[in-house]
Amino acid sequence: MSFITNQRYAMPFKVKIFVHISANSLINNTVPHHNFNTLKEIHELIWQQIHALQEEGDGEEKKILLCRNVENYAGFGSNVHRYGVCMQVAYGLGRIFFIHQEQYSHFDGVFQWVKPESLKCGYLKQKILLNKSNSCNAQDPSCYHTNGYDLNNNHKVIEFNTLAKSVPYPRHIPGTLPEKLKKSLLSLGVKSPWVWFTSQFLAYLLLRPNLTFNETLSALKKNISFTPPIVGFHIRHGDKLTSREAHYINESEFVKVAREYFYENNITYKRIYIATDDIPAIDVVKKYAPEFQTKCSPQNYLLNGLGSYFQKNFSKEIIESTLVDLYLLTNTEYHVCDISSNLCRLVHALKQGRPPFKQDNILKSVNKEAQFYYQWWGFIYPSSLWISTKKNTESEYKSKDGKVFKLLKYRNDLFRKLEMNEQSSFDFVFARKLTNVTSEVTGYVNKKDLMEWPGTPIYYFFP
């Protein structure tokens, strides 16, 4: 299957647009209500809407969201998820988005292989980087309306720093989605609608390889006989083990999961694709499962490895090797991994952004000590739950070491106040959600009149 066949909408697969929606109707926020019968229909509509924001209309009239991530040198998977957040905010506000990060610092270099944010309006990116006189930073309280949680959408340019946490993030974050889409996704059997919805933005960002890279991928698949059905292994060792972010899991655990999948689905030809930063792991898998047809990237890609994710600059070869593995894993029917890596989560998301757009029975974790979940680095509802001290009385909690903390209770959750946010004029309190005795999740508390997350945000295309 070719990754790109529809140049207008830049989708990585053949599509039949289920309904004609003009660019003007999309831009003018007059999309009619639809009764969706398939996940493909919802996917195609969302991609048409993103395309309209990015490519249609007069560029000079567009409002812009600049996704700034220059200071962050986290891993590729982590950074892509952060950009997914920014894209969702842009979509919610009806803005074109651009990514600003240093060349080869984990992301900007990726546009040598995938299509840029906008082909028609890309010139706007450099224009706003040279002149920020008409921009507003989303971490500045003055960028919000006086309610403290809705961005003032009148600004021409809003700069969105995906690391700073000086004020609560805008409401259009993972965990939210238009109510109409939520009902449709639930009716179609999607158990976590917001994850499926947010995954569409990650897919739009990455699953649009340019013509040259698409030809490279097609040739690679032919070279290694990458044919379905096939199970993908993502065996991440390297820096994950040396930094103690994860512990070693024997390759036999991956083989066990694959055997179960093949048996349950009555698959005779047992093919697997191994993506790894540890080349010897491939031979170990072959030893445990000699009956498997084992596929992996060509030697020149394997030798590049993944390098250390905690370095400022990636080489071109490492970025390309990572993208090759990411694309091929996304095209497997089933993905087996240790969920300590955000690349594992990224594959799970991208699978929901391509046919057959499924959410269930596409991933299995070999890490029995960790639960697969999605959390976008503090962006996710309900980690960013907003509650009120006006309607919830404070109480005290005394820890074993004798320290006394002020607690805020909302339903069955407790929040510990940490400090006042001195930069905010809207009286926010920085707090941590106590999930158990030892675990805390960062969140924000509004002291005024908000009882909980302030309702489902209005999305540009779904008023």
Side-chain angles (χ1 to χ4, degrees):
M1 183 196 328
S2 174
F3 281 92
I4 296 182
T5 57
N6 188 314
Q7 292 298 320
R8 179 181 177 188
Y9 293 105
M11 295 184 180
F13 35 78
K14 293 181 179 179
V15 299
K16 180 180 179 180
I17 302 302
F18 68 97
V19 62
H20 175 72
I21 301 176
S22 70
N24 287 335
S25 68
L26 285 168
I27 293 296
N28 294 328
N29 193 18
T30 57
V31 178
H33 174 67
H34 296 286
N35 293 318
F36 300 103
N37 297 312
T38 65
L39 293 177
K40 179 181 178 182
E41 290 179 356
I42 300 177
H43 158 84
E44 289 175 353
L45 176 61
I46 294 172
W47 272 42
Q48 288 179 63
Q49 292 169 335
I50 299 173
H51 178 88
L53 291 174
Q54 297 300 114
E55 303 289 354
E56 303 293 341
D58 184 353
E60 296 299 324
E61 298 297 320
K62 288 180 178 290
K63 293 180 179 178
I64 301 167
L65 191 70
L66 179 64
C67 308
R68 177 183 171 88
N69 202 30
V70 177
E71 300 85 356
N72 181 37
Y73 303 119
F76 183 89
S78 302
N79 279 348
V80 170
H81 280 93
R82 291 187 175 102
Y83 293 129
V85 175
C86 193
M87 289 179 66
Q88 184 165 338
V89 174
Y91 173 89
L93 297 175
R95 290 173 172 263
I96 187 173
F97 78 91
F98 290 108
I99 289 171
H100 176 38
Q101 187 160 328
E102 292 178 358
Q103 186 81 352
Y104 296 128
S105 179
H106 309 290
F107 200 83
D108 244 19
V110 83
F111 291 122
Q112 292 191 31
W113 295 274
V114 304
K115 289 190 174 182
E117 308 98 309
S118 175
L119 292 171
K120 176 185 175 182
C121 305
Y123 72 94
L124 294 172
K125 182 175 180 178
Q126 289 303 317
K127 187 175 180 179
I128 61 176
L129 288 175
L130 293 173
N131 181 13
K132 294 187 178 182
S133 60
N134 194 22
S135 65
C136 179
N137 193 304
Q139 272 65 54
D140 185 343
S142 65
C143 200
Y144 291 76
H145 289 296
T146 54
N147 61 22
Y149 53 81
D150 278 322
L151 280 168
N152 185 342
N153 207 19
N154 292 324
H155 294 285
K156 176 70 174 178
V157 179
I158 295 178
E159 189 172 337
F160 190 94
N161 189 322
T162 58
L163 271 186
K165 294 185 178 181
S166 58
V167 297
Y169 290 106
R171 286 195 288 167
H172 299 95
I173 59 173
T176 70
L177 76 163
E179 282 297 320
K180 291 178 183 178
L181 285 185
K182 180 179 179 180
K183 292 177 182 178
S184 296
L185 290 170
L186 287 171
S187 69
L188 291 171
V190 175
K191 295 179 181 178
S192 184
W194 74 263
V195 173
W196 194 95
F197 174 68
T198 301
S199 295
Q200 304 310 304
F201 301 103
L202 299 174
Y204 187 90
L205 186 63
L206 288 181
L207 296 186
R208 298 184 304 137
N210 60 33
L211 181 61
T212 300
F213 189 45
N214 191 61
E215 292 174 347
T216 298
L217 290 167
S218 297
L220 278 172
K221 291 174 71 176
K222 184 177 181 180
N223 182 36
I224 65 175
S225 300
F226 187 97
T227 55
I230 189 166
V231 171
F233 286 5
H234 179 222
I235 303 176
R236 176 81 178 275
H237 289 162
D239 61 316
K240 279 292 179 179
L241 298 184
T242 57
S243 65
R244 298 185 179 180
E245 284 190 45
H247 63 274
Y248 171 75
I249 296 177
N250 193 281
E251 287 82 353
S252 63
E253 294 295 320
F254 291 78
V255 171
K256 179 182 177 182
V257 172
R259 281 202 176 106
E260 291 174 352
Y261 178 81
F262 291 137
Y263 175 77
E264 291 172 357
N265 292 274
N266 195 28
I267 296 174
T268 303
Y269 298 101
K270 303 175 177 63
R271 302 183 185 93
I272 61 171
Y273 174 79
I274 303 177
T276 183
D277 56 354
D278 182 14
I279 296 179
I282 298 173
D283 289 331
V284 174
V285 170
K286 290 180 178 178
K287 182 184 72 173
Y288 283 126
E291 76 277 20
F292 287 1
Q293 297 179 33
T294 303
K295 314 294 181 182
C296 58
S297 296
Q299 190 71 8
N300 59 315
Y301 284 99
L302 287 172
L303 289 175
N304 291 331
L306 294 179
S308 171
Y309 275 165
F310 299 99
Q311 61 186 22
K312 182 173 181 179
N313 296 311
F314 270 176
S315 68
K316 176 180 177 180
E317 290 75 20
I318 289 178
I319 295 177
E320 184 169 351
S321 294
T322 303
L323 284 171
V324 165
D325 277 340
L326 187 63
Y327 270 80
L328 294 183
L329 287 173
T330 299
N331 277 266
T332 61
E333 279 65 38
Y334 199 60
H335 181 213
V336 187
C337 62
D338 171 7
I339 59 176
S340 64
S341 172
N342 274 318
L343 277 176
C344 166
R345 292 180 172 85
L346 184 55
V347 171
H348 180 64
L350 294 179
K351 280 179 173 290
Q352 298 170 64
R354 65 176 300 278
F357 310 106
K358 290 172 57 179
Q359 187 177 64
D360 299 326
N361 198 31
I362 58 176
L363 177 140
K364 178 72 173 180
S365 169
V366 292
N367 190 341
K368 297 179 176 61
E369 296 182 5
Q371 180 183 0
F372 183 80
Y373 69 97
Y374 255 107
Q375 181 175 350
W376 266 261
W377 298 94
F379 294 106
I380 179 179
Y381 167 86
S383 297
S384 299
L385 188 67
W386 301 35
I387 62 177
S388 169
T389 57
K390 181 183 294 185
K391 298 179 181 179
N392 291 274
T393 58
E394 292 188 5
S395 59
E396 290 188 352
Y397 168 74
K398 190 173 184 178
S399 63
K400 291 183 180 180
D401 58 3
K403 294 181 179 178
V404 177
F405 302 107
K406 292 287 187 180
L407 296 183
L408 299 170
K409 185 175 183 181
Y410 174 72
R411 294 182 180 172
N412 295 322
D413 296 321
L414 293 177
F415 291 77
R416 175 164 67 87
K417 288 199 297 184
L418 298 183
E419 60 188 58
M420 293 295 294
N421 186 342
E422 297 178 357
Q423 297 181 13
S424 173
S425 59
F426 304 124
D427 202 18
F428 293 118
V429 174
F430 186 55
R432 292 189 185 277
K433 179 180 176 182
L434 306 181
T435 55
N436 55 50
V437 176
T438 59
S439 179
E440 299 177 340
V441 180
T442 301
Y444 289 90
V445 176
N446 188 310
K447 287 184 62 180
K448 294 182 183 285
D449 56 0
L450 294 176
M451 188 65 185
E452 54 185 313
W453 182 259
T456 301
I458 294 175
Y459 276 82
Y460 177 76
F461 291 110
F462 294 87

